[in-house]
C-alpha cells in the first residue's frame, strides 16, 4: 500500500477538462473572453450560457485561436434548455463549433443540459460528425448507450465520489476506450477523481492513466504524452 500511494503521488494524471490551472497535464477551458494564452493545452469555444445574437463575432476569435497546436479541443459548447438562449441560436452555434472540430480533426467538448434529444437529432442527421466528448456525464446509462453507434465519448468528474450516482453506474458499463476524467470547475484534485474511477473500474491508477492517454491519441490529430 505504501509503494502504491507513493507512486500515485508522482504519477501525472491528465485532466481532460478544467476551469482551473493551465499546463501540459490538463486541457484548460479558455472562455471566449480570454485572450492571454499562458502556455499549455487548452480548449476554445462559446459556452451556451454565453451565447448572444452576435456570437459569430466571438466565434471568429475561436477559429483563430483554434489554429494554435496547443488547442486540443473545441468547446465547451452544446445545448442547455435551462440557462441557454433560444434553441435555434444554440443549434447554429453548435453546428459551427462541430464543423470547426471536424475540420481540425480534434474533439468537441460537449455541454448538455436537458438536450439529449437535440444531440441525438444532430448525430442522426449530420454526416461529418467530429469526435464528441460529453463532459460531466451524469445521466442514466440507457441514454449514453443510445449514442454508442456514433463517435461520442464520456468524461467523468467529481460526481464519481457518489457511489450511487448515474455517472458511477455508467462508468462501470462504458467501453473503456470511451472514457475520460476531468476536474471541471470543482475543488477536487484530479488525482482524487482518478482514485475513485480506478476503484470503480478495478484498474490500477497507472493502468487507467495509460488507457485515457491512449484513448485521446486514438481520436485526436493533436496528441498528448
Amino acid at each position: 500500500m505504501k509503494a502504491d500511494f507513493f507512486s500515485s503521488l508522482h504519477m501525472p494524471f491528465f485532466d481532460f477538462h478544467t476551469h482551473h490551472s493551465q499546463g501540459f497535464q490538463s486541457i484548460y477551458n479558455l472562455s471566449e473572453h480570454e485572450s492571454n494564452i499562458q502556455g499549455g493545452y487548452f480548449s476554445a469555444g462559446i459556452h451556451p450560457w454565453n451565447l448572444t445574437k452576435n456570437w459569430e463575432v466571438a466565434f471568429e476569435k475561436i477559429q483563430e485561436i483554434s489554429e494554435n497546436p496547443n488547442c486540443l479541443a473545441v468547446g465547451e459548447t452544446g445545448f442547455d434548455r435551462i440557462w441557454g438562449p433560444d434553441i435555434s441560436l444554440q443549434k447554429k452555434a453548435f453546428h459551427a463549433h462541430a464543423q470547426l472540430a471536424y475540420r481540425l480533426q480534434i474533439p468537441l467538448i460537449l455541454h448538455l443540459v436537458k438536450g439529449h434529444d437535440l444531440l441525438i437529432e444532430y448525430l442522426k442527421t449530420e454526416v461529418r460528425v467530429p469526435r464528441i466528448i460529453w463532459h460531466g456525464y451524469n445521466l442514466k446509462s440507457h441514454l449514453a448507450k443510445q449514442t454508442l453507434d456514433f463517435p461520442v465519448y464520456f468524461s467523468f468528474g467529481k460526481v464519481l465520489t457518489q457511489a450511487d450516482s448515474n455517472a458511477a453506474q455508467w462508468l462501470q458499463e462504458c467501453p473503456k476506450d470511451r472514457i475520460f476524467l476531468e476536474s471541471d470547475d470543482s475543488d477536487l484534485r484530479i488525482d482524487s477523481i482518478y482514485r475513485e474511477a480506478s476503484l470503480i473500474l478495478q484498474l490500477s491508477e497507472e493502468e487507467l492513466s495509460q488507457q485515457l492517454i491512449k484513448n485521446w491519441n486514438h481520436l485526436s490529430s493533436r496528441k498528448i504524452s
Side-chain angles (χ1 to χ4, degrees), residues 11-182:
M11 188 184 304
F13 293 112
F14 200 94
D15 190 340
F16 289 88
H17 178 73
T18 181
H19 292 261
H20 298 306
S21 61
Q22 188 173 339
F24 288 103
Q25 289 300 322
S26 63
I27 301 176
Y28 174 70
N29 185 84
L30 189 74
S31 77
E32 68 275 14
H33 303 298
E34 293 181 271
S35 57
N36 181 25
I37 301 173
Q38 301 171 0
Y41 296 135
F42 64 93
S43 64
I46 307 174
H47 196 287
W49 298 350
N50 300 327
L51 282 174
T52 67
K53 291 181 179 179
N54 297 320
W55 66 270
E56 290 98 338
V57 176
F59 188 68
E60 289 179 4
K61 177 184 172 183
I62 300 300
Q63 290 176 297
E64 179 181 346
I65 291 175
S66 68
E67 298 297 333
N68 186 318
N70 283 349
C71 180
L72 296 191
V74 174
E76 60 185 283
T77 186
F79 306 110
D80 193 316
R81 280 199 168 100
I82 295 180
W83 294 106
D86 185 80
I87 290 298
S88 63
L89 185 65
Q90 294 189 51
K91 283 185 175 182
K92 290 177 182 177
F94 177 80
H95 278 255
H97 283 77
Q99 289 170 5
L100 177 61
Y102 186 86
R103 178 175 67 81
L104 296 173
Q105 290 298 290
I106 60 177
L108 180 146
I109 307 297
L110 175 69
H111 169 94
L112 197 65
V113 176
K114 304 290 184 181
H116 184 266
D117 60 314
L118 299 173
L119 174 64
I120 297 298
E121 175 189 344
Y122 168 78
L123 293 172
K124 288 184 174 181
T125 57
E126 184 60 43
V127 175
R128 297 181 175 182
V129 177
R131 273 63 180 269
I132 296 172
I133 299 177
W134 188 338
H135 105 84
Y137 191 86
N138 191 31
L139 298 180
K140 296 288 188 181
S141 295
H142 75 274
L143 295 175
K145 290 175 181 176
Q146 292 175 18
T147 69
L148 290 181
D149 288 336
F150 305 96
V152 177
Y153 302 75
F154 305 89
S155 187
F156 302 86
K158 65 178 180 179
V159 75
L160 289 181
T161 60
Q162 303 170 23
D164 60 346
S165 67
N166 292 326
Q169 179 61 44
W170 175 233
L171 179 60
Q172 287 182 307
E173 303 176 44
C174 185
K176 289 185 176 60
D177 61 356
R178 302 274 187 126
I179 292 170
F180 295 100
L181 297 174
E182 63 178 62

